[in-house]
Amino acid sequence: MKIIKTADYNEMSRKAANIIAAQMILKPNSVLGLATGSSPIGTYQELVKKNVAGDIDFSDITTVNLDEYRGLPRDNDQSYYYFMNDNLFNHVNIDKERTHVPNGMVADADKECGDYEALIKELGGVDLQLLGLGHNGHIGFNEPSEEFDKVTHCVDLQESTIEANKRFFASIDDVPRQAYTMGIGTIMAAKKILVVVSGADKAEIVKKAFTGPVTPHVPASILQMHPDVTVVCDAAAYSKIEA
Ligand code: GLP
């Protein structure tokens, strides 16, 4: 695991975008695994700039997103489908047919999750997976538990996640209680993994996840076992590692 420390969120975003750009230049038909949340927004803005400048090309890129709220229509501005269009896909030369987000409106969870897992296999797997880090160590929506979930599945969100994500909704009651998410096994099968983390509120979990014991109680800790992980972390998020 390589940890790159940056001065702030903007430098984190530029460095992360450079890593994704390098992947796209070296393999123009890459399958990119993408994430939502506030952490990757700056990275997406930098990728848009590079695309507009002609330095990267999305025309042969395929994307698969990590997760989606269950029961939220795709035109709801809090759905991850909407987020991806709004923050990235609407602003770059990507073929939308090649962008994939689990469909939270499919009521049959086993079917949607099984189909999503099969799709990733059909695509030949993920070349580079971008991740954020939840305050409780979740990646995608893999919440702390007694064991690592292997494949794409339906999860009950934990109170702390509902609490953390309520800032995006009109009220806490509007936050969906379930989500479809790639499993830990799905994430670990990616050839390369890039994690972006920022802010002092993440310092404790950064230390636990990346320097502590590997345990399903801190899902991101499993990343220590992956052969090609880069964490781009701003100084505030890194501060407890140095302390
Ligand atoms: C959300 C998402 C995760 C994201 C995490 C952190 O619940 N499902 O994919 O990484 O929370 O979000 P943020 O970057 O806003 O702190």
Side-chain angles (χ1 to χ4, degrees):
M1 171 174 287
K2 188 176 289 168
I3 303 188
I4 298 174
K5 190 178 129 190
T6 67
D8 54 24
Y9 181 87
N10 290 339
E11 188 192 345
M12 175 197 81
S13 302
R14 290 197 304 276
K15 291 238 156 81
N18 284 342
I19 293 169
I20 298 171
Q23 170 70 35
M24 293 172 63
I25 291 165
L26 292 170
K27 188 178 178 196
N29 63 346
S30 289
V31 176
L32 300 179
L34 299 179
T36 56
S38 46
S39 308
I41 290 178
T43 305
Y44 294 147
Q45 287 168 349
E46 295 296 327
L47 289 176
V48 171
K49 280 191 216 161
K50 288 178 194 298
N51 184 239
V52 170
D55 291 332
I56 55 172
D57 177 14
F58 282 82
S59 58
D60 285 330
I61 294 289
T62 299
T63 67
V64 281
N65 259 76
L66 279 171
D67 50 10
E68 179 60 283
Y69 289 115
R70 188 176 191 208
L72 214 53
R74 291 188 147 182
D75 61 359
N76 183 302
D77 64 3
Q78 291 311 321
S79 76
Y80 288 168
Y81 179 89
Y82 190 100
F83 175 105
M84 288 311 302
N85 282 317
D86 200 32
N87 285 286
L88 184 64
F89 303 149
N90 286 348
H91 313 290
V92 295
N93 69 326
I94 199 159
D95 174 358
K96 294 251 181 102
E97 295 290 315
R98 290 178 189 254
T99 68
H100 307 280
V101 180
N103 188 347
M105 292 308 284
V106 175
D108 183 340
D110 288 346
K111 172 153 176 30
E112 178 58 14
C113 295
D115 286 353
Y116 202 71
E117 195 68 28
L119 166 78
I120 295 170
K121 284 219 173 72
E122 260 166 49
L123 292 171
V126 172
D127 290 301
L128 185 152
Q129 177 67 56
L130 177 63
L131 297 175
L133 177 66
H135 288 101
N136 60 4
H138 74 224
I139 45 178
F141 265 132
N142 290 276
E143 298 280 33
S145 79
E146 293 305 315
E147 56 188 32
F148 292 112
D149 277 294
K150 290 191 183 63
V151 294
T152 303
H153 60 289
C154 181
V155 282
D156 293 328
L157 302 181
Q158 292 194 352
E159 270 317 304
S160 61
T161 299
I162 294 167
E163 187 61 34
N165 289 356
K166 75 172 186 203
R167 63 200 151 118
F168 300 116
F169 292 85
S171 86
I172 194 161
D173 295 333
D174 294 326
V175 186
R177 269 33 190 183
Q178 289 187 313
Y180 296 154
T181 181
M182 283 187 196
I184 292 292
T186 327
I187 293 170
M188 288 293 281
K191 294 171 191 95
K192 285 175 195 286
I193 295 179
L194 172 63
V195 192
V196 282
V197 206
S198 136
D201 54 320
K202 297 276 175 75
E204 194 63 52
I205 194 65
V206 162
K207 185 176 181 192
K208 258 197 197 166
F210 304 135
T211 69
V214 174
T215 161
H217 295 290
V218 183
S221 64
I222 192 79
L223 299 175
Q224 295 179 50
M225 312 293 285
H226 190 283
D228 192 347
V229 176
T230 304
V231 180
V232 186
C233 184
D234 71 6
Y238 192 80
S239 57
K240 290 259 162 72
I241 291 186
E242 260 170 358

